[in-house]
C-alpha cells in the first residue's frame, strides 16, 4: 500500500486511494492490519510523495518536461500558483483529493519556493486527513456489510471510485459554469 500511495504522488493512474480504502475494509473485517497502522502508513507515504514532488519542483522548475506543458496540467499549475499565493493550507487540503491538482500544487509549491517548514507541516496534516478519510470509507463498509472482507473491499473500492468520479464531474461542471460566466470578447 505504501508504494502505491507513494507512486500515486507522481503517476495519477496508480491506485493509491483504492489501496488505502481496501486495507481500511480489510482492517475492520478481518482485524489485521490495525486501522491506525493503515492510516499512519498511508499518511506517511502520501506526505513523502508530496514532499518528493515539492523537491522535484524546487530542483527542476516546472517547464522542463513536455507532459507538464499539456493543457490540463497547465490549467492545474495556473490554478495552483494563484491559490498558493493566497492560501497555502486550503490549496494543499483541497489538492490532496484531486490527483492532477495534487501533482501540480506540489510541483508549483517547490518551484515557487513556498517555505519548506510551513509546506511540510501542512502536507503532513493534509496527508493524515486524506489517509483517515480513505481508510474510513473502507472501514465503514466493512462494519455495515455482511459477507466478510472480500465483499467489504469490493464495495468500498467501488464506492471510492464513484466518489472520485462524482468529485471530478462536479469540478468539470463548476469549471464549465465559470467559463460560461466570462463575458465574450468585444468585437469592433
Amino acid at each position: 500500500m505504501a508504494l502505491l500511495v507513494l507512486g500515486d504522488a507522481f503517476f495519477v493512474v496508480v491506485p493509491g486511494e483504492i489501496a488505502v480504502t481496501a486495507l481500511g475494509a480489510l482492517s475492520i473485517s478481518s482485524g489485521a492490519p490495525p486501522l491506525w497502522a493503515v492510516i499512519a502508513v498511508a499518511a506517511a507515504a502520501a506526505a513523502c510523495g508530496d514532499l518528493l514532488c515539492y523537491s522535484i519542483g524546487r530542483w527542476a522548475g516546472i517547464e522542463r518536461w513536455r507532459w507538464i506543458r499539456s493543457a490540463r496540467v497547465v490549467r492545474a499549475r495556473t490554478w495552483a500558483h494563484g491559490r498558493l499565493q493566497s492560501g497555502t493550507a486550503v490549496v494543499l487540503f483541497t489538492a490532496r483529493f484531486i490527483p492532477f491538482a495534487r501533482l501540480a500544487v506540489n510541483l508549483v509549491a517547490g518551484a515557487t519556493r513556498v517555505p519548506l517548514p510551513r509546506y511540510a507541516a501542512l502536507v503532513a496534516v493534509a496527508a493524515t486527513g486524506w489517509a483517515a478519510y480513505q481508510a474510513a470509507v473502507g472501514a465503514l463498509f466493512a462494519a455495515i456489510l455482511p459477507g466478510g472482507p472480500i465483499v467489504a473491499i469490493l464495495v468500498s473500492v467501488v464506492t471510492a471510485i464513484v466518489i472520485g468520479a462524482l468529485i471530478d464531474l462536479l469540478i468539470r461542471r463548476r469549471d464549465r459554469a465559470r467559463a460560461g460566466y466570462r463575458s465574450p470578447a468585444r468585437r469592433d
Side-chain angles (χ1 to χ4, degrees):
M1 176 194 68
L3 290 176
L4 288 173
V5 171
L6 183 66
D8 188 19
F10 303 97
F11 308 106
V12 296
V13 296
V14 174
E17 290 93 348
I18 292 171
V20 177
T21 302
L23 281 176
L26 187 63
S27 172
I28 296 303
S29 60
S30 71
L35 188 59
W36 67 265
V38 172
I39 294 169
V41 169
C48 286
D50 290 353
L51 289 167
L52 285 171
C53 284
Y54 172 92
S55 299
I56 290 168
R58 193 167 184 126
W59 170 75
I62 52 176
E63 294 294 329
R64 182 171 286 194
W65 297 286
R66 184 175 45 146
W67 66 270
I68 206 161
R69 294 187 301 266
S70 72
R72 184 174 183 171
V73 175
V74 167
R75 282 193 307 274
R77 279 186 10 224
T78 301
W79 174 86
H81 180 70
R83 299 291 189 248
L84 280 168
Q85 301 308 312
S86 62
T88 308
V90 171
V91 173
L92 289 176
F93 279 81
T94 303
R96 175 96 291 277
F97 291 88
I98 306 168
F100 282 104
R102 178 175 64 240
L103 177 62
V105 163
N106 292 322
L107 290 171
V108 171
T112 59
R113 306 276 199 254
V114 170
L116 182 58
R118 177 177 63 152
Y119 173 81
L122 290 171
V123 160
V125 174
T128 302
W130 170 84
Y133 167 78
Q134 291 299 139
V137 168
L140 174 69
F141 283 105
I144 62 175
L145 289 175
I150 299 298
V151 172
I153 289 170
L154 290 174
V155 171
S156 62
V157 166
V158 169
T159 301
I161 291 170
V162 168
I163 289 170
L166 285 173
I167 290 170
D168 285 343
L169 176 68
L170 292 172
I171 289 169
R172 281 194 303 274
R173 283 187 178 177
R174 183 202 64 199
D175 290 347
R176 275 188 244 136
R178 284 184 181 173
Y181 288 122
R182 293 185 185 135
S183 60
R186 291 183 61 189
R187 297 180 194 201
D188 294 323

